[in-house]
Amino acid sequence: MHKYLLILKGGEPDPQVMGHEAFMAHMADYYTLTEKLRASGQFVAGEGLDSTGSVVSNDKGQPVVTDGPLPEAAELVGGFYLIEVGSQAEAEAIARQMPNLQLGGSVEVRPVMKYD
């Protein structure tokens, strides 16, 4: 078994734009998928991420803190799933089920490195 990080980018639902009912239906799709992954034993962890925060970087050896998400990012990271499956193909099959794809987002599938 291998762990994969599914990074959900873009396609963030906006309840102000789509309305409360549509927003709740969209979020229910995440809850349903999460429960399916839990039941199969593939779910390790996952959370939605707020669009606020900070970036800590290095400028000539000094740590610098910048408010807000990374400005160079093409798409805002809205959340993640950490899953454990048998192959990259299985991880990609799960990624194809992510609800953010319905709203024009993408899912980056990254294998987690093993350090044994």
Side-chain angles (χ1 to χ4, degrees), residues 16-95:
Q16 303 282 320
V17 174
M18 67 190 319
H20 181 73
E21 281 187 37
F23 174 77
M24 294 309 291
H26 182 78
M27 296 309 294
D29 291 342
Y30 281 110
Y31 302 138
T32 300
L33 178 57
T34 301
E35 288 310 309
K36 176 181 161 187
L37 294 172
R38 282 184 206 277
S40 69
Q42 297 172 308
F43 182 84
V44 176
E47 295 290 341
L49 300 174
D50 195 293
S51 61
T52 62
S54 59
V55 175
V56 179
S57 59
N58 183 312
D59 183 17
K60 300 175 186 158
Q62 295 298 313
V64 176
V65 179
T66 305
D67 288 339
L70 191 62
E72 295 84 25
E75 294 177 301
L76 189 63
V77 175
F80 71 91
Y81 278 75
L82 180 61
I83 58 172
E84 191 165 30
V85 295
S87 69
Q88 175 100 11
E90 285 182 68
E92 291 166 356
I94 292 169

Side-chain angles (χ1 to χ4, degrees), residues 10-14 18 26 30 98-105:
E12 289 302 304
D14 184 346
M18 67 190 319
H26 182 78
Y30 281 110
M98 289 296 156
N100 72 315
L101 297 177
Q102 299 167 10
L103 298 176

